[in-house]
Amino acid sequence: MTELAVIGNLSRDVVAGGEPRPGGGVFWSTRALALLGAHAVVSAACSAGDRPLLLPPLEAFGLPVTWHDSSSTTAYSFHYEGDRRIMWQDAVGDPWTPEQAVTAAADAVWVNVCALTRTDFPRQTLAALADDGHRLLVDLQGLVRTPTIGQLQTDEHIGDVLGYVDVLKLNDEEAETLVGSAEPEKLKSLGVPEVILTLGSRGAWIVTPDLIEHVPAVPVDGPVDPTGAGDSYSITYLVGRAEGAEPVEAARVAAATVSAFLATP
C-alpha cells in the first residue's frame, strides 16, 4: 500500500516581477519528497497550454506523476515583505471532482490535499476522499481563499468541510480569518484531530485534543526565498506521521528539514 499521495492544481507563479515558474502545493511538496528520498504518488492539473512550462519540472523530481487537463491554470503574482507574502490571484483552475480525487489518491493512507482556493476541492470531493478511507492533510489557505480574481481575498465562509480533515495546517493570518485569533487554545474548537499553526521564523504550535506544544523554527543563515516552505513543512510532517512519529516529533523533524531545504538552491 502506498503511504502518501499528493494531489492538487499546479500554479503559474510570477515572483517579484520575474519570469513565470511552476508553483502550488503539489509542486513544492513533490520537491520536498524528492529531497527527502521519500515515495508518493503525485497527481497535478493545469491547462494544456501551460503543461510544457509546468509539468516537466514536476516530473523531473522523479516521482510518479499523473496529469489531467484543466480549462485554466491557477496563476499568482506576489512578493514578500519579511515573512508576509503579498499576493494577487490572476486565474483559478478547475475544481477536482470526487472521481478525479479518489482515483488520484489511489491506495494511499495519507493524502496531502493541495488546495489553492476553496473551489479546488469542494465539500463533496473531500467527503469522497474521507469516505474512501484516506487521512487528509489540508492547508487552510486553500479553504479561506475565495476564487476572486485580483488582490488575494480571504474570508471565514468555508462551510462544514473540517469534519473530513485529519490534519489542518494554517498560519496566524488564516487562523485570525477563521476563528478571530491565532491563540493555539482557540484552535481546539475546530474539532480537527491535529492542527499545525505555523508562524514562520517564530516556529509552530501543534494542537491536538490532548496537547498544545510549541516547536521552534530552525534558523537559516542569510536571505532565502521562502516560497514553498509551508508546503514542504506539511509533506515532511506527513512523511513523519506515515513512518509512525507522533505529531510533535513529526513537527520537529519538519522544522529541521524545511530549514535545510531553504538553504538548498
PDB file of all heavy atoms in Angstrom, residues 213-246:
ATOM      1  N   GLU A 213       1.646  22.329  22.069  1.00  0.00           N
ATOM      2  CA  GLU A 213       3.096  22.404  22.266  1.00  0.00           C
ATOM      3  C   GLU A 213       3.741  23.219  21.155  1.00  0.00           C
ATOM      4  O   GLU A 213       3.417  23.060  19.982  1.00  0.00           O
ATOM      5  CB  GLU A 213       3.712  21.006  22.313  1.00  0.00           C
ATOM      6  CG  GLU A 213       5.186  21.016  22.686  1.00  0.00           C
ATOM      7  CD  GLU A 213       5.701  19.679  23.178  1.00  0.00           C
ATOM      8  OE1 GLU A 213       4.879  18.859  23.636  1.00  0.00           O
ATOM      9  OE2 GLU A 213       6.919  19.457  23.094  1.00  0.00           O
ATOM     10  N   HIS A 214       4.679  24.087  21.582  1.00  0.00           N
ATOM     11  CA  HIS A 214       5.416  24.911  20.634  1.00  0.00           C
ATOM     12  C   HIS A 214       6.631  24.150  20.122  1.00  0.00           C
ATOM     13  O   HIS A 214       7.341  23.495  20.887  1.00  0.00           O
ATOM     14  CB  HIS A 214       5.874  26.208  21.304  1.00  0.00           C
ATOM     15  CG  HIS A 214       6.602  27.131  20.375  1.00  0.00           C
ATOM     16  ND1 HIS A 214       7.973  27.322  20.423  1.00  0.00           N
ATOM     17  CD2 HIS A 214       6.150  27.897  19.351  1.00  0.00           C
ATOM     18  CE1 HIS A 214       8.326  28.176  19.486  1.00  0.00           C
ATOM     19  NE2 HIS A 214       7.250  28.545  18.826  1.00  0.00           N
ATOM     20  N   VAL A 215       6.860  24.247  18.815  1.00  0.00           N
ATOM     21  CA  VAL A 215       8.027  23.641  18.178  1.00  0.00           C
ATOM     22  C   VAL A 215       8.820  24.770  17.531  1.00  0.00           C
ATOM     23  O   VAL A 215       8.334  25.397  16.583  1.00  0.00           O
ATOM     24  CB  VAL A 215       7.619  22.593  17.130  1.00  0.00           C
ATOM     25  CG1 VAL A 215       8.848  22.045  16.404  1.00  0.00           C
ATOM     26  CG2 VAL A 215       6.828  21.463  17.784  1.00  0.00           C
ATOM     27  N   PRO A 216      10.025  25.069  18.020  1.00  0.00           N
ATOM     28  CA  PRO A 216      10.786  26.202  17.472  1.00  0.00           C
ATOM     29  C   PRO A 216      11.185  25.973  16.021  1.00  0.00           C
ATOM     30  O   PRO A 216      11.369  24.834  15.577  1.00  0.00           O
ATOM     31  CB  PRO A 216      12.034  26.259  18.374  1.00  0.00           C
ATOM     32  CG  PRO A 216      11.688  25.460  19.587  1.00  0.00           C
ATOM     33  CD  PRO A 216      10.711  24.420  19.145  1.00  0.00           C
ATOM     34  N   ALA A 217      11.331  27.071  15.305  1.00  0.00           N
ATOM     35  CA  ALA A 217      11.907  27.008  13.969  1.00  0.00           C
ATOM     36  C   ALA A 217      13.415  26.812  14.089  1.00  0.00           C
ATOM     37  O   ALA A 217      14.018  27.146  15.110  1.00  0.00           O
ATOM     38  CB  ALA A 217      11.609  28.289  13.199  1.00  0.00           C
ATOM     39  N   VAL A 218      14.013  26.265  13.048  1.00  0.00           N
ATOM     40  CA  VAL A 218      15.468  26.127  12.980  1.00  0.00           C
ATOM     41  C   VAL A 218      15.992  27.265  12.115  1.00  0.00           C
ATOM     42  O   VAL A 218      15.608  27.371  10.940  1.00  0.00           O
ATOM     43  CB  VAL A 218      15.873  24.759  12.401  1.00  0.00           C
ATOM     44  CG1 VAL A 218      17.385  24.658  12.250  1.00  0.00           C
ATOM     45  CG2 VAL A 218      15.335  23.636  13.283  1.00  0.00           C
ATOM     46  N   PRO A 219      16.825  28.153  12.669  1.00  0.00           N
ATOM     47  CA  PRO A 219      17.267  29.334  11.910  1.00  0.00           C
ATOM     48  C   PRO A 219      17.999  28.963  10.621  1.00  0.00           C
ATOM     49  O   PRO A 219      18.669  27.937  10.529  1.00  0.00           O
ATOM     50  CB  PRO A 219      18.203  30.055  12.888  1.00  0.00           C
ATOM     51  CG  PRO A 219      17.817  29.549  14.237  1.00  0.00           C
ATOM     52  CD  PRO A 219      17.373  28.130  14.033  1.00  0.00           C
ATOM     53  N   VAL A 220      17.859  29.844   9.645  1.00  0.00           N
ATOM     54  CA  VAL A 220      18.554  29.701   8.367  1.00  0.00           C
ATOM     55  C   VAL A 220      19.461  30.911   8.194  1.00  0.00           C
ATOM     56  O   VAL A 220      19.031  32.049   8.374  1.00  0.00           O
ATOM     57  CB  VAL A 220      17.562  29.624   7.189  1.00  0.00           C
ATOM     58  CG1 VAL A 220      18.300  29.434   5.871  1.00  0.00           C
ATOM     59  CG2 VAL A 220      16.552  28.515   7.409  1.00  0.00           C
ATOM     60  N   ASP A 221      20.716  30.681   7.863  1.00  0.00           N
ATOM     61  CA  ASP A 221      21.656  31.778   7.665  1.00  0.00           C
ATOM     62  C   ASP A 221      21.428  32.438   6.313  1.00  0.00           C
ATOM     63  O   ASP A 221      21.258  31.769   5.296  1.00  0.00           O
ATOM     64  CB  ASP A 221      23.097  31.264   7.728  1.00  0.00           C
ATOM     65  CG  ASP A 221      23.473  30.765   9.112  1.00  0.00           C
ATOM     66  OD1 ASP A 221      22.913  31.283  10.089  1.00  0.00           O
ATOM     67  OD2 ASP A 221      24.325  29.855   9.209  1.00  0.00           O
ATOM     68  N   GLY A 222      21.438  33.773   6.324  1.00  0.00           N
ATOM     69  CA  GLY A 222      21.372  34.512   5.071  1.00  0.00           C
ATOM     70  C   GLY A 222      19.971  34.633   4.519  1.00  0.00           C
ATOM     71  O   GLY A 222      19.032  33.979   5.003  1.00  0.00           O
ATOM     72  N   PRO A 223      19.782  35.444   3.489  1.00  0.00           N
ATOM     73  CA  PRO A 223      18.465  35.615   2.861  1.00  0.00           C
ATOM     74  C   PRO A 223      18.057  34.361   2.096  1.00  0.00           C
ATOM     75  O   PRO A 223      18.897  33.689   1.492  1.00  0.00           O
ATOM     76  CB  PRO A 223      18.676  36.795   1.913  1.00  0.00           C
ATOM     77  CG  PRO A 223      20.142  36.781   1.607  1.00  0.00           C
ATOM     78  CD  PRO A 223      20.823  36.282   2.843  1.00  0.00           C
ATOM     79  N   VAL A 224      16.765  34.040   2.143  1.00  0.00           N
ATOM     80  CA  VAL A 224      16.248  32.877   1.435  1.00  0.00           C
ATOM     81  C   VAL A 224      14.938  33.248   0.761  1.00  0.00           C
ATOM     82  O   VAL A 224      14.279  34.221   1.130  1.00  0.00           O
ATOM     83  CB  VAL A 224      16.001  31.673   2.376  1.00  0.00           C
ATOM     84  CG1 VAL A 224      17.305  31.205   3.011  1.00  0.00           C
ATOM     85  CG2 VAL A 224      14.974  32.031   3.460  1.00  0.00           C
ATOM     86  N   ASP A 225      14.547  32.466  -0.244  1.00  0.00           N
ATOM     87  CA  ASP A 225      13.224  32.577  -0.861  1.00  0.00           C
ATOM     88  C   ASP A 225      12.323  31.591  -0.132  1.00  0.00           C
ATOM     89  O   ASP A 225      12.500  30.377  -0.250  1.00  0.00           O
ATOM     90  CB  ASP A 225      13.309  32.229  -2.345  1.00  0.00           C
ATOM     91  CG  ASP A 225      11.953  32.315  -3.051  1.00  0.00           C
ATOM     92  OD1 ASP A 225      10.930  32.509  -2.363  1.00  0.00           O
ATOM     93  OD2 ASP A 225      11.925  32.169  -4.282  1.00  0.00           O
ATOM     94  N   PRO A 226      11.355  32.075   0.668  1.00  0.00           N
ATOM     95  CA  PRO A 226      10.537  31.164   1.467  1.00  0.00           C
ATOM     96  C   PRO A 226       9.396  30.507   0.703  1.00  0.00           C
ATOM     97  O   PRO A 226       8.612  29.757   1.289  1.00  0.00           O
ATOM     98  CB  PRO A 226       9.987  32.078   2.565  1.00  0.00           C
ATOM     99  CG  PRO A 226       9.884  33.420   1.900  1.00  0.00           C
ATOM    100  CD  PRO A 226      11.037  33.494   0.942  1.00  0.00           C
ATOM    101  N   THR A 227       9.285  30.766  -0.599  1.00  0.00           N
ATOM    102  CA  THR A 227       8.198  30.163  -1.368  1.00  0.00           C
ATOM    103  C   THR A 227       8.251  28.646  -1.249  1.00  0.00           C
ATOM    104  O   THR A 227       9.290  28.026  -1.467  1.00  0.00           O
ATOM    105  CB  THR A 227       8.287  30.563  -2.849  1.00  0.00           C
ATOM    106  OG1 THR A 227       8.381  31.977  -2.952  1.00  0.00           O
ATOM    107  CG2 THR A 227       7.071  30.073  -3.603  1.00  0.00           C
ATOM    108  N   GLY A 228       7.136  28.046  -0.905  1.00  0.00           N
ATOM    109  CA  GLY A 228       7.058  26.594  -0.778  1.00  0.00           C
ATOM    110  C   GLY A 228       7.427  26.051   0.580  1.00  0.00           C
ATOM    111  O   GLY A 228       7.310  24.841   0.813  1.00  0.00           O
ATOM    112  N   ALA A 229       7.863  26.915   1.498  1.00  0.00           N
ATOM    113  CA  ALA A 229       8.280  26.425   2.814  1.00  0.00           C
ATOM    114  C   ALA A 229       7.121  25.768   3.560  1.00  0.00           C
ATOM    115  O   ALA A 229       7.281  24.706   4.181  1.00  0.00           O
ATOM    116  CB  ALA A 229       8.863  27.567   3.643  1.00  0.00           C
ATOM    117  N   GLY A 230       5.953  26.371   3.499  1.00  0.00           N
ATOM    118  CA  GLY A 230       4.800  25.796   4.193  1.00  0.00           C
ATOM    119  C   GLY A 230       4.396  24.454   3.612  1.00  0.00           C
ATOM    120  O   GLY A 230       4.055  23.518   4.355  1.00  0.00           O
ATOM    121  N   ASP A 231       4.436  24.334   2.293  1.00  0.00           N
ATOM    122  CA  ASP A 231       4.094  23.061   1.655  1.00  0.00           C
ATOM    123  C   ASP A 231       5.130  21.996   1.986  1.00  0.00           C
ATOM    124  O   ASP A 231       4.782  20.827   2.200  1.00  0.00           O
ATOM    125  CB  ASP A 231       4.001  23.251   0.139  1.00  0.00           C
ATOM    126  CG  ASP A 231       2.960  24.272  -0.257  1.00  0.00           C
ATOM    127  OD1 ASP A 231       1.812  24.154   0.206  1.00  0.00           O
ATOM    128  OD2 ASP A 231       3.292  25.194  -1.021  1.00  0.00           O
ATOM    129  N   SER A 232       6.407  22.399   2.036  1.00  0.00           N
ATOM    130  CA  SER A 232       7.460  21.456   2.413  1.00  0.00           C
ATOM    131  C   SER A 232       7.269  20.981   3.849  1.00  0.00           C
ATOM    132  O   SER A 232       7.479  19.805   4.160  1.00  0.00           O
ATOM    133  CB  SER A 232       8.831  22.113   2.245  1.00  0.00           C
ATOM    134  OG  SER A 232       9.062  22.482   0.907  1.00  0.00           O
ATOM    135  N   TYR A 233       6.877  21.899   4.728  1.00  0.00           N
ATOM    136  CA  TYR A 233       6.609  21.538   6.125  1.00  0.00           C
ATOM    137  C   TYR A 233       5.487  20.515   6.190  1.00  0.00           C
ATOM    138  O   TYR A 233       5.598  19.490   6.883  1.00  0.00           O
ATOM    139  CB  TYR A 233       6.239  22.807   6.899  1.00  0.00           C
ATOM    140  CG  TYR A 233       6.304  22.680   8.407  1.00  0.00           C
ATOM    141  CD1 TYR A 233       7.273  23.357   9.133  1.00  0.00           C
ATOM    142  CD2 TYR A 233       5.388  21.917   9.118  1.00  0.00           C
ATOM    143  CE1 TYR A 233       7.341  23.260  10.510  1.00  0.00           C
ATOM    144  CE2 TYR A 233       5.440  21.817  10.496  1.00  0.00           C
ATOM    145  CZ  TYR A 233       6.427  22.494  11.184  1.00  0.00           C
ATOM    146  OH  TYR A 233       6.490  22.401  12.550  1.00  0.00           O
ATOM    147  N   SER A 234       4.403  20.769   5.464  1.00  0.00           N
ATOM    148  CA  SER A 234       3.240  19.877   5.520  1.00  0.00           C
ATOM    149  C   SER A 234       3.603  18.461   5.088  1.00  0.00           C
ATOM    150  O   SER A 234       3.278  17.481   5.769  1.00  0.00           O
ATOM    151  CB  SER A 234       2.125  20.413   4.616  1.00  0.00           C
ATOM    152  OG  SER A 234       1.598  21.619   5.106  1.00  0.00           O
ATOM    153  N   ILE A 235       4.288  18.335   3.955  1.00  0.00           N
ATOM    154  CA  ILE A 235       4.551  16.991   3.450  1.00  0.00           C
ATOM    155  C   ILE A 235       5.614  16.298   4.291  1.00  0.00           C
ATOM    156  O   ILE A 235       5.543  15.075   4.492  1.00  0.00           O
ATOM    157  CB  ILE A 235       4.937  17.023   1.953  1.00  0.00           C
ATOM    158  CG1 ILE A 235       4.842  15.622   1.339  1.00  0.00           C
ATOM    159  CG2 ILE A 235       6.296  17.623   1.744  1.00  0.00           C
ATOM    160  CD1 ILE A 235       3.453  15.023   1.341  1.00  0.00           C
ATOM    161  N   THR A 236       6.585  17.043   4.820  1.00  0.00           N
ATOM    162  CA  THR A 236       7.580  16.429   5.690  1.00  0.00           C
ATOM    163  C   THR A 236       6.922  15.934   6.976  1.00  0.00           C
ATOM    164  O   THR A 236       7.266  14.859   7.492  1.00  0.00           O
ATOM    165  CB  THR A 236       8.706  17.421   5.998  1.00  0.00           C
ATOM    166  OG1 THR A 236       9.243  17.932   4.774  1.00  0.00           O
ATOM    167  CG2 THR A 236       9.823  16.761   6.778  1.00  0.00           C
ATOM    168  N   TYR A 237       5.981  16.699   7.487  1.00  0.00           N
ATOM    169  CA  TYR A 237       5.206  16.272   8.650  1.00  0.00           C
ATOM    170  C   TYR A 237       4.471  14.969   8.341  1.00  0.00           C
ATOM    171  O   TYR A 237       4.475  14.028   9.146  1.00  0.00           O
ATOM    172  CB  TYR A 237       4.223  17.375   9.033  1.00  0.00           C
ATOM    173  CG  TYR A 237       3.329  17.056  10.208  1.00  0.00           C
ATOM    174  CD1 TYR A 237       3.714  17.384  11.503  1.00  0.00           C
ATOM    175  CD2 TYR A 237       2.081  16.462  10.029  1.00  0.00           C
ATOM    176  CE1 TYR A 237       2.888  17.115  12.590  1.00  0.00           C
ATOM    177  CE2 TYR A 237       1.257  16.184  11.099  1.00  0.00           C
ATOM    178  CZ  TYR A 237       1.665  16.520  12.380  1.00  0.00           C
ATOM    179  OH  TYR A 237       0.841  16.233  13.448  1.00  0.00           O
ATOM    180  N   LEU A 238       3.855  14.885   7.160  1.00  0.00           N
ATOM    181  CA  LEU A 238       3.125  13.669   6.798  1.00  0.00           C
ATOM    182  C   LEU A 238       4.050  12.475   6.634  1.00  0.00           C
ATOM    183  O   LEU A 238       3.683  11.348   6.989  1.00  0.00           O
ATOM    184  CB  LEU A 238       2.328  13.883   5.511  1.00  0.00           C
ATOM    185  CG  LEU A 238       0.979  14.557   5.619  1.00  0.00           C
ATOM    186  CD1 LEU A 238       0.203  14.390   4.310  1.00  0.00           C
ATOM    187  CD2 LEU A 238       0.154  14.010   6.771  1.00  0.00           C
ATOM    188  N   VAL A 239       5.240  12.712   6.092  1.00  0.00           N
ATOM    189  CA  VAL A 239       6.204  11.613   5.992  1.00  0.00           C
ATOM    190  C   VAL A 239       6.500  11.068   7.383  1.00  0.00           C
ATOM    191  O   VAL A 239       6.529   9.844   7.606  1.00  0.00           O
ATOM    192  CB  VAL A 239       7.501  12.078   5.296  1.00  0.00           C
ATOM    193  CG1 VAL A 239       8.598  11.025   5.424  1.00  0.00           C
ATOM    194  CG2 VAL A 239       7.236  12.373   3.822  1.00  0.00           C
ATOM    195  N   GLY A 240       6.703  11.962   8.341  1.00  0.00           N
ATOM    196  CA  GLY A 240       6.949  11.531   9.708  1.00  0.00           C
ATOM    197  C   GLY A 240       5.783  10.763  10.296  1.00  0.00           C
ATOM    198  O   GLY A 240       5.971   9.704  10.923  1.00  0.00           O
ATOM    199  N   ARG A 241       4.590  11.256  10.081  1.00  0.00           N
ATOM    200  CA  ARG A 241       3.399  10.576  10.619  1.00  0.00           C
ATOM    201  C   ARG A 241       3.225   9.209   9.961  1.00  0.00           C
ATOM    202  O   ARG A 241       2.886   8.226  10.629  1.00  0.00           O
ATOM    203  CB  ARG A 241       2.163  11.437  10.399  1.00  0.00           C
ATOM    204  CG  ARG A 241       2.151  12.734  11.176  1.00  0.00           C
ATOM    205  CD  ARG A 241       2.018  12.530  12.684  1.00  0.00           C
ATOM    206  NE  ARG A 241       0.645  12.221  13.045  1.00  0.00           N
ATOM    207  CZ  ARG A 241       0.244  11.141  13.711  1.00  0.00           C
ATOM    208  NH1 ARG A 241       1.119  10.203  14.049  1.00  0.00           N
ATOM    209  NH2 ARG A 241      -1.023  10.962  14.011  1.00  0.00           N
ATOM    210  N   ALA A 242       3.484   9.129   8.668  1.00  0.00           N
ATOM    211  CA  ALA A 242       3.362   7.853   7.964  1.00  0.00           C
ATOM    212  C   ALA A 242       4.386   6.844   8.473  1.00  0.00           C
ATOM    213  O   ALA A 242       4.141   5.628   8.436  1.00  0.00           O
ATOM    214  CB  ALA A 242       3.539   8.064   6.463  1.00  0.00           C
ATOM    215  N   GLU A 243       5.528   7.340   8.960  1.00  0.00           N
ATOM    216  CA  GLU A 243       6.569   6.459   9.487  1.00  0.00           C
ATOM    217  C   GLU A 243       6.381   6.144  10.964  1.00  0.00           C
ATOM    218  O   GLU A 243       7.223   5.481  11.568  1.00  0.00           O
ATOM    219  CB  GLU A 243       7.932   7.089   9.246  1.00  0.00           C
ATOM    220  CG  GLU A 243       8.317   7.165   7.772  1.00  0.00           C
ATOM    221  CD  GLU A 243       9.643   7.854   7.524  1.00  0.00           C
ATOM    222  OE1 GLU A 243      10.161   8.489   8.474  1.00  0.00           O
ATOM    223  OE2 GLU A 243      10.151   7.759   6.399  1.00  0.00           O
ATOM    224  N   GLY A 244       5.286   6.649  11.555  1.00  0.00           N
ATOM    225  CA  GLY A 244       4.968   6.305  12.933  1.00  0.00           C
ATOM    226  C   GLY A 244       5.310   7.349  13.974  1.00  0.00           C
ATOM    227  O   GLY A 244       5.101   7.117  15.175  1.00  0.00           O
ATOM    228  N   ALA A 245       5.823   8.507  13.560  1.00  0.00           N
ATOM    229  CA  ALA A 245       6.142   9.563  14.523  1.00  0.00           C
ATOM    230  C   ALA A 245       4.865  10.173  15.091  1.00  0.00           C
ATOM    231  O   ALA A 245       3.856  10.298  14.396  1.00  0.00           O
ATOM    232  CB  ALA A 245       6.983  10.645  13.853  1.00  0.00           C
ATOM    233  N   GLU A 246       4.924  10.574  16.355  1.00  0.00           N
ATOM    234  CA  GLU A 246       3.822  11.317  16.953  1.00  0.00           C
ATOM    235  C   GLU A 246       3.845  12.753  16.428  1.00  0.00           C
ATOM    236  O   GLU A 246       4.860  13.210  15.886  1.00  0.00           O
ATOM    237  CB  GLU A 246       3.940  11.287  18.480  1.00  0.00           C
ATOM    238  CG  GLU A 246       3.744   9.901  19.076  1.00  0.00           C
ATOM    239  CD  GLU A 246       2.354   9.338  18.794  1.00  0.00           C
ATOM    240  OE1 GLU A 246       1.371  10.099  18.912  1.00  0.00           O
ATOM    241  OE2 GLU A 246       2.264   8.153  18.432  1.00  0.00           O
TER     242      GLU A 246
END
